[in-house]
């Protein structure tokens, strides 16, 4: 593959997902780590991407930049569904369940609404809307108040006060970024405070994050990596990062998005 073709592939990938990891590009392009880093350097000099530790992001991406819900909802859909299907298996009838804002947690909520006898506490307008579209008499949904963010989260002192008044059996949280050094991060300072309140209110803390979140850094840390009892991600995450997380997280669950996607297709076709 010519250098121009490699760089076009790199740009295609970063425009699709918003961020790329050097390790992932090495595997996909079949070239050396040094070759990928040279390509990223050339593209950065051209202003077509911004280099960050371990990879690159779209130009202009900063630790305080917060993509809107619609922008994120079209990314990694197969991975999000596979993660959500693994997450819903952790929920039992009678539980009080916390669900934070995010597109992965929104996907999870669409599966969660089929379970009986739940109390769901969320600061997500989109998650609450999932339950309101198909209400059940055996489910109670509590939407916190607060200030609305671009990701459709309700944050700030009203949200924090509401969350601190409840005790949750299990909390499912989506994050903007994660790595073993900076933990789980968000680009919104008030959202970080609200998310920390969720963690403190929960007996069990579960993070839902696809592989593209690794190495992405938001301005504020919600919690250290080892604070999660369970982290559910997908097999697109490089082996070395899986190992680093496995050494820190209580339980690392790695799902195969392709396998889940195939199973869904077979179910839909009656195979």
């Amino acid at each position: 593959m010519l250098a121009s073709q490699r760089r076009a592939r790199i740009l295609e990938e970063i425009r699709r997902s918003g961020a790329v990891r050097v390790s992932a590009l090495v595997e996909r392009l079949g070239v050396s780590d040094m070759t990928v880093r040279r390509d990223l350097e050339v593209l950065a000099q051209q202003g077509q991407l911004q280099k960050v530790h371990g990879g690159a992001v779209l130009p202009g991406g900063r630790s305080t930049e917060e993509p809107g819900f619609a922008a994120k909802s079209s990314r990694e859909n197969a991975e999000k569904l596979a993660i959500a299907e693994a997450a819903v298996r952790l929920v039992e009838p009678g539980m009080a369940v916390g669900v934070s804002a995010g597109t992965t947690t929104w996907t999870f909520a669409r599966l969660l609404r089929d379970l009986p006898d739940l109390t769901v506490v969320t600061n997500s307008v989109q998650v609450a809307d999932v339950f309101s579209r198909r209400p059940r008499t055996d489910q109670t949904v509590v939407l916190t108040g607060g200030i609305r963010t671009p990701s459709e989260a309700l944050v700030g002192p009203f949200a924090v006060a509401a969350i601190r008044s409840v005790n949750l059996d299990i909390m499912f949280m989506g994050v903007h970024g994660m790595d073993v050094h900076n933990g789980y991060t968000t680009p919104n300072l008030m959202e970080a405070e609200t998310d920390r309140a969720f963690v403190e209110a929960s007996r069990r803390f579960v993070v839902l994050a696809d592989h593209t979140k690794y190495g992405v850094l938001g301005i504020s840390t919600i919690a250290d990596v080892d604070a999660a009892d369970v982290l559910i991600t997908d097999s697109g995450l490089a082996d070395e990062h899986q190992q680093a997380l496995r050494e820190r997280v209580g339980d690392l669950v790695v799902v195969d998005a392709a396998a889940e996607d195939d199973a869904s297709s077979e179910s839909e076709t009656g195979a």
Side-chain angles (χ1 to χ4, degrees), residues 16-39:
R16 183 183 68 83
S17 62
V20 291
R21 300 287 301 170
V22 169
S23 56
L25 290 173
V26 167
E27 183 176 346
R28 290 171 191 170
L29 299 176
V31 295
S32 69
D33 181 282
M34 186 61 67
T35 297
V36 168
R37 292 183 185 277
R38 281 199 299 265
D39 287 341

Side-chain angles (χ1 to χ4, degrees), residues 9-112:
R9 286 276 302 276
I10 291 171
L11 289 175
E12 179 183 346
E13 179 67 22
I14 199 170
R15 287 166 184 158
R16 183 183 68 83
S17 62
V20 291
R21 300 287 301 170
V22 169
S23 56
L25 290 173
V26 167
E27 183 176 346
R28 290 171 191 170
L29 299 176
V31 295
S32 69
D33 181 282
M34 186 61 67
T35 297
V36 168
R37 292 183 185 277
R38 281 199 299 265
D39 287 341
L40 293 181
E41 183 64 36
V42 170
L43 293 170
Q45 290 174 356
Q46 295 172 352
Q48 299 195 70
L49 55 76
Q50 177 189 341
K51 291 175 62 183
V52 296
H53 178 70
V57 297
L58 289 172
R62 298 291 187 270
S63 60
T64 56
E65 183 176 345
E66 185 173 8
F69 184 90
K72 294 187 291 183
S73 63
S74 62
R75 304 173 185 170
E76 284 72 48
N77 288 332
E79 289 85 350
K80 290 172 184 175
L81 178 58
I83 289 168
E85 289 175 341
V88 80
R89 299 185 190 114
L90 301 177
V91 182
E92 299 175 2
M95 279 186 166
V97 182
V99 184
S100 79
T103 53
T104 307
T105 49
W106 174 75
T107 302
F108 165 69
R110 293 161 66 193
L111 303 179
L112 188 65

Side-chain angles (χ1 to χ4, degrees), residues 98-250:
V99 184
S100 79
T103 53
T104 307
T105 49
W106 174 75
T107 302
F108 165 69
R110 293 161 66 193
L111 303 179
L112 188 65
R113 68 184 173 188
D114 293 328
L115 298 186
D117 191 22
L118 296 179
T119 296
V120 178
V121 179
T122 184
N123 69 324
S124 167
V125 175
Q126 295 287 351
V127 167
D129 185 60
V130 166
F131 290 93
S132 69
R133 288 176 180 272
R134 211 162 72 195
R136 296 175 56 134
T137 57
D138 60 347
Q139 290 178 343
T140 300
V141 180
V142 179
L143 177 63
T144 71
I147 301 167
R148 199 166 182 165
T149 72
S151 62
E152 301 289 347
L154 298 176
V155 302
F158 286 100
V160 170
I163 295 164
R164 286 178 176 165
S165 69
V166 299
N167 298 303
L168 302 171
D169 294 303
I170 190 166
M171 173 66 206
F172 294 89
M173 184 173 293
V175 297
H176 176 75
M178 64 175 176
D179 65 42
V180 294
H181 304 294
N182 299 290
Y184 307 108
T185 63
T186 173
N188 188 300
L189 291 169
M190 286 198 293
E191 188 162 6
E193 182 182 12
T194 304
D195 284 346
R196 283 193 288 269
F198 263 130
V199 176
E200 293 167 3
S202 308
R203 292 181 182 177
R204 200 174 187 202
F205 172 37
V206 183
V207 173
L208 312 181
D210 70 72
H211 69 279
T212 65
K213 303 298 179 66
Y214 196 90
V216 177
L217 181 65
I219 191 172
S220 186
T221 295
I222 300 162
D224 292 336
V225 167
D226 53 13
D229 297 294
V230 183
L231 168 58
I232 307 177
T233 188
D234 66 90
S235 56
L237 185 63
D239 290 343
E240 64 266 30
H241 301 320
Q242 290 186 32
Q243 182 58 37
L245 289 168
R246 203 176 298 279
E247 293 172 358
R248 298 283 301 277
V249 176

